[in-house]
Each structure stands twice: as structure tokens, then as C-alpha cells.
Amino acid sequence: MYRKLLTFTMIFIMIIVLFAGCTSESGGQLEEAEKVLKIAQGSEPPAVDPARANDNISLQIGQALFEGLYRYHNGEFIEGMAEGEPEISEDGLVWTFHLRDAKWSDGEPVTAHDFEYAWKRLADPETASGSAYKITDFVKGAMEFNQGSGSSEDVGVRAVNDKTLEVTLVSSTPYFKEIISFGAFSPVREDIVKEYGEAFAANPENMVYNGPWALTKWEHDVELEFEPNENYWNREAVKLDRVISPIISDYATQVNMFETGDLHMTILMGEFAAQYDEEGKAEFFEDGLSINLLLNRETYEPFANENIRKAFALAIDRESFITNIYKLPAIPATNLINPAIKGVEKTFRDEFPGDYFPAFDSEKAKELLQKGLDELGIDSLPDLELMFLDGGASPIFAEFLQENFRKTLEVEAVLTPISLEKRIEISMNGDYQTLINPTGPDFNDPMSTMETWITGNPYNEVKYENEDYDTLVKEAKGIDDTKKRMELMAQAEELIMEDMYVVPIMHNVSGYAISDNVSNLYPTAWCPDIDWMFADMEEAEQ
Amino acid sequence: MKGEMTKQDFQPIGKDKRVNQDIFRPTISYWADAWIKIKNNKMALISLIILTLIIIMIIFGPYIVPYKYYEQDYDNTNISPGEQGHIFGTDSLGRDLFSRLWIGGRVSIIIGIIVALLSMAIGVIYGGVAGYFGGRIDNIMMRFVDVMLTIPGLLINIMLLIVLEPGITTIIIAFGITGWLSMARLVRGQVLQLKEQEYVLAARILGASNRRIIIKHLIPNTMGPIIVEMTLVIPSAIFGEAFLSYIGLGVRPPMASWGILASEGIKVMRFFPYQLIIPGIIISLTILSFNLLGDGLRDALDPRHRI
Amino acid sequence: MYKYILKRIGTSIITIWVLITITFLLMNAIPGEPFSDQRKLPPQVLENLNEYYGLDKPLIIQYFKHMGNILKGDLGYSLTYKTRTVNDIIAQAFPYSAQLGIQSLIFGLTLGLALGILAALHHNRALDYITMIIAVIGVSVPNFIIGGFLQYFLGVKYQLFPVAQWKGFIYTILPTIALGSRILATQARMMRSSTLEVLNQDYIKAAKAKGLSKTVIIGNHIIRNSILPIITTLGPLSATILTGTFVIENIFAIPGLGRYFVQGIQDLDYPVILGTTLFYGVFLVVLNLLVDIIYGFIDPRIKIVDLAGDRL
């Protein structure tokens, strides 16, 4: 009998050894003491191609591999491919950029033609880019091209010569420099795209790099590996020898790996944030994200009544959620514009405080509810469908809201989680009653938020229609005087808060922990969301 | 000689024919016999007791504490068991876990019972008909079952739940659609065997209709394995629901289910292990008890199995 | 004999066809969602949407187009990972799942059998009780709870094993244990009870009287007789393992097909959901077919009577 058992065990062991051989041993030995940064990504990057990159991860990686005219780093927009500041015409409509001498990773020079090609490709309807609006909003002729009524020749981007790029805008845009630091405006090599077609940028071999890093390995859904791009114009600024980016979708696993030393950085949420904070190892920053609740009066009639809307706003116990459940030091929002956004000299919120309503007042909420019900002639509120994206803190926040609404407003909220696909669909057909909407500004100016709510804007999901608001915002868009612009937008904010179709919940704060020996690593509210491109390490790890 | 045995020492008792006919084991019904066997099976008995306790708690548990399962209490989140009147503590939204555990049990057990009943209803009819008529009809009907059985049930369940809105009813429908298949197979096998028995032949000679034979003779005699199968359907329904809830296709909040409690518990395991341990123990105990009970019933209801 | 094989192949083909049809119908039954291989367009190009969603053709034509695509092996592009085809994803991710699955199967079967026999041999002593406890845990605790526990206690707290990923053999240990636990438990229980049964038989007494040691007897009788049933259960076992991978891969960050499947469900990435379901279904059907054929060769009874109980 034991002989049979022994045979079994031997076969077992043999098979195991066979498997051990099969499993790839990767990420193993470091040759000399190298400075290798290990930083995780939350999911497989959907698309690194600048014209297709639409999510934080792809954009972040894009900032490592490519470089546009300017890039955002440590609080400023520093020079990238552009040398010096842009020349701006009198009327603010024509911007001219001078490019420095820079090379692609394959030795070819970076030319203005690469920019012209990339920007037109972004607007091209055939590319079907989700970021197309970034160029169609600002560059002359781009909108028409994208919608099929214009041609690519009429788009206001022109390579005057190899080193000069001329851009013509739709209207004067003082913050245009910030817009073009966004990853979609990185240059792209026409010959490479033509060579690989659909597979462009799908793998390391299918692209060339002009950014600080080159992608050496992309094991899909497992990890990415970067090495410095030797042809990068600012090679000395790149301090690390290698960067390894495993893909870890379960963030608790990320924290675990941080604690075992397998990662140099981790995001912190919930209980982890509280625990690390107690130990003094957590860092927090305003990530520019604001969480709002959108009220759709077209599908849920009571939302047409102002008192009902305000009742909902007041029924949410923001402080309690943040302190007891969220456990990150987020800010209960009683206004619309995120505190990370710039004003004239300081932040917009510093200069225009604006607390437009109490962060929680259940008594007042009940009062307003009653008034609203009377005005509507009904006894109680019908069931309400509450939608939210399935991930992060949204589900638990939805349950929180559900209970708040039940307790104070006596309304039954039905929770419906939705996928990203469905969210996009809803943004097109407006098929929701109320929706938890985390949103971040596209660029560092209140206009990014304010213009969303202009009548007729395709992103105006609550169909807000207020002529006075429209006038104020359009005026602010058309002038150059920053101080005046801010004042106009502050007035507009007051109006939209009065009407309360968009209910601010909180201005988010993200938590993270970074290994002590790592420096120059910045989580930011802008693109890239994690700036590791110029990070450094104290000493090489064994 | 003295010690020798002679013919005179022996007296024939004779063959009393009546004695041969006597059955020395008292006559008891099938069910009474089964009950005795169960009582003697320690594990099955303990399981039965545990299950009864759990069911009592599921029914009455939520009323013992003053907290409702959906009441959130933000000042008292993640409280350890035993403090402040929360017997099992609270979760991250401050909801009482004692209440939620038993409410969740209702969901899981109800799903299990209804699915078991559905499987029985459909499976018995389908399998009974197939087995009884045999031949071509049986062939076609069983081909269908075989084909459906090869496709993993969980995949079909997941797809159904994506199409319909997740919720208790949908889960029951999904499990029901895949659950009756094994029952049908089982019943059909039983019926195939039984219909060759002599008493069926006798009934037929006496002129009993097919319907009468199926209902009066075949089905009651397959009850044994059917009941066993039903007891085993329930724990797999609990398992299935837990799994679906973990990947997000379970019941919707604020309703609790055991699957939801388990997946929430895993999320906070390193900080508040009791939130996983307590539901984990109850879930495992229930599944185990059903399994042991099923085993015990299988032995008890098998007339050939003598203790 | 060959008639039997042909019959089984025929049934398998029908099964696959039914699977394709069911999944097609279900995908189309989803309210409001256009089913197409095309990518979704950004909100900006609203006007061109209707042309892109060629949904104006009747369902039957879509069905045949769908069939045609599948037979060609074209499963479309993922909606989430816009540059990757579903075929790519499956080809790249499945080997991880396969390795995990096979390891778990071997782990569960061999250890389960061994434990079961040993437990029976040491009936009512320490080894027996330990085995029963392990069996109880494996059968009643859902595998994702076991996985979570293992990851935390052995991985994070005591740092005995790596917490996640799949970069070397040692990474595979925790996931294998978690995934194989159920099988280990059920096999151990079954082996234990059947071994106990055999031990009580008269021919064992006879064999012992002959002078054979108990262990040799068991080895010869039990093991030989259990191989057969194990092959029959290989089909359902594989299905269990397969569905187990969904959760285990998630917990341990293993880039297998199960993880893509779950993600696809959460993102409603229809090509991925469809493609993966089809792949799994076909895989299991083929596996069952092979098992039945092998069984046909091994079990002499098959030659006379078909598995389904009819006469050949």
C-alpha cells in the first residue's frame, strides 16, 4: 500500500517540478545594485495610443513614453518638446510654438509635422477618439472636421517648418498651454502608425518614444517594464534605472504588497487610510475630484420642484460619511468648484469662499420636503432609482445615501450599479433618475466645470437651462482679464447653487503611502495622475 | 457408553409451517423505519438539531434585537461583538450584524428551499415521464437533459443574471432553470429500475392506467432519493448565491444575504475579522449540516441499508 | 464500439450548437444594448451612431452572421481593451488558468485520495479526525473565503508566501490550495467511506488469512476500483475548478481567463463575456467527450450497454 502511495507522491512531485519549470520566472535578478521603482497600476491599460488614451492609467503611461509641447510636473507646466513660451498673437487666436532639437527613440528627429499629424488624427472622425472634444473645443476647424462637415486641411494646426508649429484657435483661450499638456496632444509618427495600423501602440515593438521612458516589456494584464529612453532630450533628469509596474486590481493586495516591500507606493482607502494615518505614514492630497449627485427632472417629476431638490441636498449627512465611513479627509462640499482649482493668484476657493448651503440639516430638509410635496400636490415621494459606477467607494456611498433619503425624506431609493459602458450610454441618452457623479476638471480653471452646465452642452446631463448663467459663463469665456473672469464665474456658481440641479457632495482627497527612500514621486490632480517619471531613490535596493 | 449420544436423545421439533411464515422483525412502515435509522445516526441527528436552531434564529432572530438590518449608525461603525447591545457587532455602515445575519439567512434558505421545490416539481414530472415511457420518448428527453447538463450551470446562471435584473427572484429562476436537470436524471433512473418490479406488472395486469401507476406506485417509491437530492440542492444554492454575490450579481442593498455578508467581511478581514468569521461559521455550519443530513437521509431512506 | 463514439461526438456537436444559440439569444435579450462587434463611439459623434450599430437587420440574419464569425474563429474585439481581440485575450490568459486548474485538480485528487485511505486505516484515531476536520472545512467553506484567509494569514501576517501574482512556483501554492480544497475534501470523504466499507468485507478477512498485509490489499483493491469513478467525475470536477478560478484569480491577482471573465461581467464587455462563455463551454464539452471515450475503452460494460442505459 505504501508503495502505491509512494508512487503517487513521486508522480505528484514530478508533475510539480514540471510545472515549476513552466511557470515563467520573471522580474527576478537585479544585476548590479539598480534603482528599480515598483509602482502598481490598478488595471491593464486599455490603450496607450495618445489618441485613444482616455483613462488615468493609459494617460499616465503615455506621459512616461511620450512628451507633448509642455508637461505638468510638480505644480508647474514645464517645457517639453516646446522651447520657451509660445508666441501669442494680439487677438489671442494664433499661438506659435518653437520646438527644441529632440529625437525619437529610433533616432529620428521630433518635428512639427509629428504634432500636426497627431492633432489632426485626434480630431479625425475615423480615429473615433474619445478625447476628440479636447481639440474640437479649442482649435479652429477641428469641430467641423470631426463631425464630417470639414476637411483636415481646414484644421488650424500647421507645421510652418520642421521646428515651428502654428495653431489657430476658435476663441481666445488664456489657459491653452494647460490644455495641450494633456496626453492626447503628444506627437505621433505618421510612418509608424501607417506601418502598424490598428495594432499601433498595442505592444512595445509597435511604437517609438520621445518621452523620458521606453517600454521594454508589456506582459498584458501582468506587468509593464520601463527603461530610460536614451534619446530623450533631458536624459540627465531621469534618475532611476528601471521601473516595474505590476497590474494589481485589488487595492487591498496593493497595500499588502507595499507592506512586504514589493511596491514602493500604494493608494490608501477606508480602514487602511485610517490605520496609516494613525501611524503617521499616510499622505493626503486634493486630487481635484468632486462627487456630485445629478438630479434629472425629465425622468423624475418631483425634481422639477426647487424645494424638493434642496431637500435632497440638505438630507445628506456629508460629515458623518467622511468621518465615519470614508475615513479620508475629504471636504464636505457646499459649493461646486473643487478646491484644487486655480483662481487669480491662489485657488479659486481661497478667493471666493462661497458656502451656499449647510452641509447637513435634516430639519430644514423635512421642512422643504413638505413644502415641495404641498406644491406638487402629492403625499410622498415615489421610489427613486439611484445609479452609481460599480467600484471604489461608490457602492458604500450609495447605500449611505439610500438610508439618508429613507430616514429624512421617507423615499425609497433603488440602488442600481452600472458599468462604464452603461455610464457612457446614459450620458448620451439621459436615461437615469439620479446619479452619483464623480467628476474631475479637464484643466486647471473653473471654466472646465462651469462650461459643462451651459444650455445645450452635450455634457450638461441635468439639462440645466438658465439664461443668466449662460450669459455670465459665456462672457467669462470670451475675455482675457483673469480677475474679471473669476468674478463672473463666482456669480455664475451662485446661480447654479441656487437652482441645485447638481448637488455637490464632497471634494475628494486621495490617500497614499510612499516608501521613505523614494523622492520626487508626485500624485497629482492632473495628467499624469502619478508623476514618477523623474523620481529618484536614495540608494539602490538589493 | 455414558457420554455417547444416541438417537433417543433427540426429538424432532417438526416443521411447523406457520413458524416459517412468521416475520420476527416487527412490521413498521417505511417512514418509521427511516426515522429510527436517523435517530441512531449521531451526525445526522446533530445536524438536524443545528439546522432547526438556525432556522429558528432565522425566523425570530431579527426580532430579538432592537436594530433593523438596514439601520445605519454612523457613530457606531465596526463595533466589536458584544458591545453596545450589538451581539455580533456592526459593519462599516453601522448596521447591526446579528440582525443582518439572520435576515441574510432568510434570503439564502428561501432561495435554497424554493429552488429545491422547483427542481423537484419539474424534475420529477420530466424524469418520471421519461423513465416510465422509455424508448424513443425517453431517448429524446434525456438527450436534451444531457446536453443541458454538459453546459456548466454557473455560466448560464451568470448570463441570465446579466440579462435580467439581479435580485432574489432572478436568482431563483436562474438556479431553478439549471437545477431540475439532475433531479430529472435521478428520477428517470429510479423509475427505469422500478417499473420492472413485479408489483408494477401486477398493477398493469389489473388494468391500472399509466397515470395511476406513475402516481401511486412509482413516485412514492422514488421519494427516498428525491428527498436526499433536495437536501443537497439547498447547500449548493447557498454556495451559488454566495459566489454570485461575491462577483456582484447578488441581491441588492439594503437587503443582506449570506453571500453579501461574506464578501463584505473579506474586504475588512484584516481589520475586523469578526465580520467574516461569524458569518463564515454560520454559513459553513449550515452547509455542513445539510450535507450530513443528506448523507444520513440517504442511508435512512434506503430500505436495503440495515443498521 | 465505434457507434458509441460517433454517438457521443454527435451529441457534443449538438451541445455546442445549443450553447452558441443560447448565448446569442441571451446577449441579444439584454434590454437596450446593441449587440455588435463594432466599438462604441465617443459622445461627440452622436449623429453617426446609427450607422455604426448595424442593428437594423433582422435577428435571423444577425444570428447567421454571428455563427459565421464563430466558425471562422472570429470572436471580435474587447470593448474595454480596444486594441485586443477576444481571441488574443483567451490565448494569453487561458494558460494561466489551465496551470492553476490542473495543479489544483492534481493537488485535490492525490492528496484527497491519500488522506482518505490513510484516515480509514487509522479509523477513529488522530489521523482520521484531522482528515475529517479538513474535509469538513473544504466542503462547507466557500473557496473564496478560504482564499482570503490564506492570503491574509500566510501571506501578509506571517509572510510565508507571496501575496499575489504568478511569477514563480511559490506564487502558485496558496491559490492552488484554495482552489483545490473542495475537491480534496470530497475525495477524502468518499475514499474514506469506501475504504472503510471494503475493510469490513469478508474477502479482506480471507486475504488477511492468506497472509497479505492490510495495506497491500487496500492498494490492490481500492485504488484499482477508484480510478474508474474518478474518471467519470472528471467532467463535473473540471467545471467546479473552472468556476472556482473566477474568484481565486481575482483575489491573488492571477492574470487568468477567470479574472477577465469577471471583469467583463462587471464592465459589460459583451464580446469578452460571450467569447469566454463559449470557450469554457466548448472546452468542457470536449473534455466530457474525451472522458466518455476513454471510459468507453476502459469499462468493458460499455461495450454492451450504452452509458445512458439503452442497448446498442
Side-chain angles (χ1 to χ4, degrees), chain A residues 22-297:
Chain A
C22 276
T23 322
S24 58
E25 297 277 343
S26 73
Q29 319 308 330
L30 303 175
E31 276 106 36
E32 322 94 40
E34 282 187 308
K35 294 203 256 186
V36 182
L37 180 72
K38 297 183 213 133
I39 180 167
Q41 304 294 348
S43 71
E44 159 84 355
V48 165
D49 176 356
R52 296 235 160 82
N54 226 344
D55 59 284
N56 278 341
I57 295 176
S58 305
L59 289 169
Q60 177 211 121
I61 294 177
Q63 288 286 326
L65 304 177
F66 313 113
E67 189 164 274
L69 294 167
Y70 298 93
R71 69 154 65 228
Y72 182 78
H73 179 66
N74 200 6
E76 315 180 344
F77 291 96
I78 60 176
E79 294 174 18
M81 292 292 107
E83 206 159 38
E85 293 297 307
E87 286 165 20
I88 311 178
S89 66
E90 274 284 317
D91 53 6
L93 294 180
V94 180
W95 291 49
T96 313
F97 303 92
H98 298 283
L99 302 180
R100 70 178 70 254
D101 288 323
K103 292 214 187 84
W104 290 93
S105 52
D106 65 350
E108 293 295 316
V110 181
T111 69
H113 176 73
D114 296 330
F115 278 93
E116 181 182 341
Y117 174 69
W119 292 25
K120 287 189 176 169
R121 178 167 178 261
L122 180 63
D124 194 336
E126 304 255 319
T127 317
S129 166
S131 311
Y133 69 96
K134 282 199 167 306
I135 193 173
T136 60
D137 277 356
F138 299 103
V139 173
K140 179 148 172 263
M143 174 76 85
E144 292 79 4
F145 179 37
N146 186 253
Q147 295 194 333
S149 56
S151 75
S152 77
E153 284 83 55
D154 295 330
V155 178
V157 181
R158 192 169 74 94
V160 175
N161 54 46
D162 274 355
K163 293 267 168 248
T164 317
L165 185 72
E166 186 187 87
V167 183
T168 314
L169 303 181
V170 168
S171 62
S172 168
T173 314
Y175 45 85
F176 188 58
K177 191 166 143 199
E178 297 175 20
I179 306 270
I180 55 177
S181 305
F182 189 73
F185 293 92
S186 301
V188 170
R189 281 265 297 278
E190 185 170 1
D191 55 322
I192 304 284
V193 175
K194 293 232 155 63
E195 183 179 339
Y196 292 105
E198 283 299 324
F200 169 63
N203 284 303
E205 322 78 65
N206 301 11
M207 46 183 159
V208 289
Y209 315 103
N210 74 324
W213 292 88
L215 192 60
T216 45
K217 188 167 79 129
W218 188 355
E219 206 180 327
H220 289 286
D221 224 20
V222 180
E223 79 181 9
L224 298 104
E225 209 171 288
F226 303 86
E227 273 177 23
N229 176 6
E230 295 303 335
N231 279 338
Y232 182 56
W233 69 273
N234 200 1
R235 174 69 182 87
E236 317 81 59
V238 179
K239 308 287 184 205
L240 297 167
D241 297 311
R242 230 179 346 143
V243 174
I244 299 180
S245 215
I247 296 177
I248 312 287
S249 53
D250 181 31
Y251 98 90
T253 312
Q254 274 195 36
V255 180
N256 288 341
M257 290 174 72
F258 177 74
E259 293 185 351
T260 55
D262 290 312
L263 283 180
H264 290 111
M265 170 173 174
T266 177
I267 47 171
L268 295 171
M269 292 206 292
E271 292 301 321
F272 290 116
Q275 184 196 9
Y276 272 67
D277 196 18
E278 265 172 41
E279 298 170 11
K281 293 198 285 193
E283 300 186 44
F284 304 105
F285 79 106
E286 287 167 355
D287 60 6
L289 202 69
S290 294
I291 319 277
N292 301 324
L293 194 65
L294 303 182
L295 308 179
N296 191 348
R297 68 177 183 282

Side-chain angles (χ1 to χ4, degrees), chain B residues 12 26 72 93 96 141 162 164 169 180 230 290:
Chain B
Q72 300 175 7
L93 280 171
D96 178 51
M141 290 178 93
I162 295 181
L164 311 162
T169 343
W180 66 265
M230 278 171 66
F290 269 111

Side-chain angles (χ1 to χ4, degrees), chain B residues 76-95:
Chain B
N76 286 316
T77 58
N78 297 316
I79 296 200
S80 298
E83 295 179 26
Q84 305 205 27
H86 291 285
I87 305 180
F88 286 160
T90 63
D91 67 1
S92 47
L93 280 171
R95 294 180 293 205

Side-chain angles (χ1 to χ4, degrees), chain A residues 376-389:
Chain A
L376 289 170
I378 52 180
D379 289 324
S380 63
L381 290 171
D383 288 357
L384 175 65
E385 188 180 33
L386 172 59
M387 289 185 172
F388 56 98
L389 261 180

Side-chain angles (χ1 to χ4, degrees), chain C residues 201-223:
Chain C
Q201 302 285 8
D202 288 339
Y203 66 83
I204 295 294
K205 298 198 180 113
K208 269 204 272 187
K210 265 207 293 185
L212 295 173
S213 75
K214 205 197 253 181
T215 51
V216 168
I217 299 165
I218 297 204
N220 278 334
H221 293 290
I222 304 259
I223 297 199

Side-chain angles (χ1 to χ4, degrees), chain A residues 288-455:
Chain A
L289 202 69
S290 294
I291 319 277
N292 301 324
L293 194 65
L294 303 182
L295 308 179
N296 191 348
R297 68 177 183 282
E298 290 184 355
T299 52
Y300 189 74
E301 278 175 31
F303 282 151
N305 179 296
E306 187 176 304
N307 285 322
I308 299 283
R309 296 197 301 273
K310 289 191 167 151
F312 271 88
L314 293 178
I316 304 172
D317 192 351
R318 295 164 176 78
E319 289 275 4
S320 220
F321 178 72
I322 291 176
T323 320
N324 294 320
I325 298 166
Y326 198 51
K327 304 222 178 179
L328 285 168
I331 300 166
T334 50
N335 46 48
L336 193 60
I337 304 292
N338 191 285
I341 296 190
K342 205 167 65 163
V344 186
E345 309 266 311
K346 301 185 283 179
T347 70
F348 183 81
R349 283 272 76 93
D350 278 339
E351 296 159 1
F352 303 92
D355 281 307
Y356 295 106
F357 57 94
F360 176 54
D361 190 340
S362 68
E363 289 305 312
K364 193 94 204 301
K366 292 194 173 126
E367 237 181 78
L368 291 172
L369 171 71
Q370 198 47 56
K371 263 206 241 169
L373 289 175
D374 293 336
E375 286 169 10
L376 289 170
I378 52 180
D379 289 324
S380 63
L381 290 171
D383 288 357
L384 175 65
E385 188 180 33
L386 172 59
M387 289 185 172
F388 56 98
L389 261 180
D390 201 1
S394 290
I396 202 173
F397 183 56
E399 289 190 50
F400 173 83
L401 282 181
Q402 184 187 46
E403 178 61 9
N404 272 219
F405 293 156
R406 188 199 65 84
K407 227 172 24 182
T408 310
L409 306 175
E410 290 172 14
V411 62
E412 278 294 313
V414 175
L415 299 188
T416 310
I418 55 181
S419 65
L420 196 58
E421 295 289 324
K422 187 116 179 94
R423 175 71 184 90
I424 297 179
E425 195 189 310
I426 286 175
S427 72
M428 295 191 289
N429 62 21
D431 193 10
Y432 73 96
Q433 290 187 336
T434 183
L435 176 59
I436 298 179
N437 190 38
T439 175
D442 286 329
F443 50 91
N444 196 351
D445 191 282
M447 182 54 71
S448 172
T449 312
M450 308 300 309
E451 66 181 359
T452 316
W453 308 113
I454 295 182
T455 310

Side-chain angles (χ1 to χ4, degrees), chain C residues 103-240:
Chain C
Q103 264 180 225
S104 308
L105 202 62
I106 295 180
F107 166 76
L109 281 179
T110 48
L111 220 60
L113 290 180
L115 272 179
I117 296 178
L118 284 176
L121 285 179
H122 297 263
H123 188 43
N124 282 332
R125 273 143 50 201
L127 199 53
D128 190 15
Y129 287 124
I130 296 179
T131 309
M132 285 316 285
I133 292 179
I134 296 181
V136 160
I137 295 180
V139 155
S140 48
V141 182
N143 59 6
F144 57 90
I145 296 186
I146 294 184
F149 250 79
L150 285 175
Q151 184 185 45
Y152 178 59
F153 281 109
L154 296 184
V156 179
K157 201 137 186 244
Y158 298 115
Q159 302 212 5
L160 289 171
F161 290 99
V163 158
Q165 297 194 286
W166 195 259
K167 290 209 274 200
F169 178 65
I170 199 169
Y171 287 82
T172 69
I173 296 186
L174 291 185
T176 306
I177 298 180
L179 192 54
S181 57
R182 191 120 203 261
I183 297 186
L184 188 147
T186 35
Q187 290 301 318
R189 282 181 78 210
M190 282 193 340
M191 273 316 282
R192 178 180 173 277
S193 56
S194 65
T195 309
L196 279 178
E197 230 180 79
V198 168
L199 276 176
N200 286 330
Q201 302 285 8
D202 288 339
Y203 66 83
I204 295 294
K205 298 198 180 113
K208 269 204 272 187
K210 265 207 293 185
L212 295 173
S213 75
K214 205 197 253 181
T215 51
V216 168
I217 299 165
I218 297 204
N220 278 334
H221 293 290
I222 304 259
I223 297 199
R224 194 181 297 158
N225 285 328
S226 0
I227 298 295
L228 224 44
I230 288 181
I231 297 188
T232 39
T233 56
L234 211 55
L237 276 186
S238 309
T240 314

